[in-house]
Amino acid sequence: MDQNGSQVPPFEPEEYARVEAAAGIVGKSPEDFVRDAALKAASDPFLKALGRTRDRVPQLAEVFATQDTHTRASDTATWPDPAPMSSRDLHTSQRGHAA
């Protein structure tokens, strides 16, 4: 890898046609258009955060893989609805007559 990073594979013909069209709309050469877009993306805080996340996901996966994966039956028990509503209750509450 040289000092500029790894080389990106060339655009497919239909992708290059789209880049040329977009560059023409803004009055730039395709090369300048792609360079400016890459520079803009490099300074985007969201994309920087995604880059850091890419490195952290494998670390988090290791942590979660080593955690206890056994759950107790009481952890997965479902609780009954403490106040089930009938369709009449729902209809009344929608009209603003709820108690």
Side-chain angles (χ1 to χ4, degrees), residues 10-35:
F11 288 114
E12 294 293 325
E14 64 274 1
E15 292 172 329
Y16 190 77
R18 291 174 63 195
V19 169
E20 279 186 317
I25 290 171
V26 295
K28 293 183 179 182
S29 71
E31 295 80 11
D32 288 343
F33 180 79
V34 170
R35 184 201 65 227

Side-chain angles (χ1 to χ4, degrees), residues 27-67:
K28 293 183 179 182
S29 71
E31 295 80 11
D32 288 343
F33 180 79
V34 170
R35 184 201 65 227
D36 292 348
L39 290 172
K40 186 76 169 172
S43 65
D44 187 308
F46 178 73
L47 293 178
K48 287 180 182 179
L50 283 177
R52 288 190 299 272
T53 302
R54 179 191 65 219
D55 298 333
R56 291 185 182 142
V57 167
Q59 296 169 350
L60 289 173
E62 276 184 41
V63 170
F64 287 123
T66 60
Q67 297 295 316

Side-chain angles (χ1 to χ4, degrees), residues 1-7:
M1 179 164 45
D2 61 65
Q3 72 184 29
N4 292 329
S6 63
Q7 292 295 316

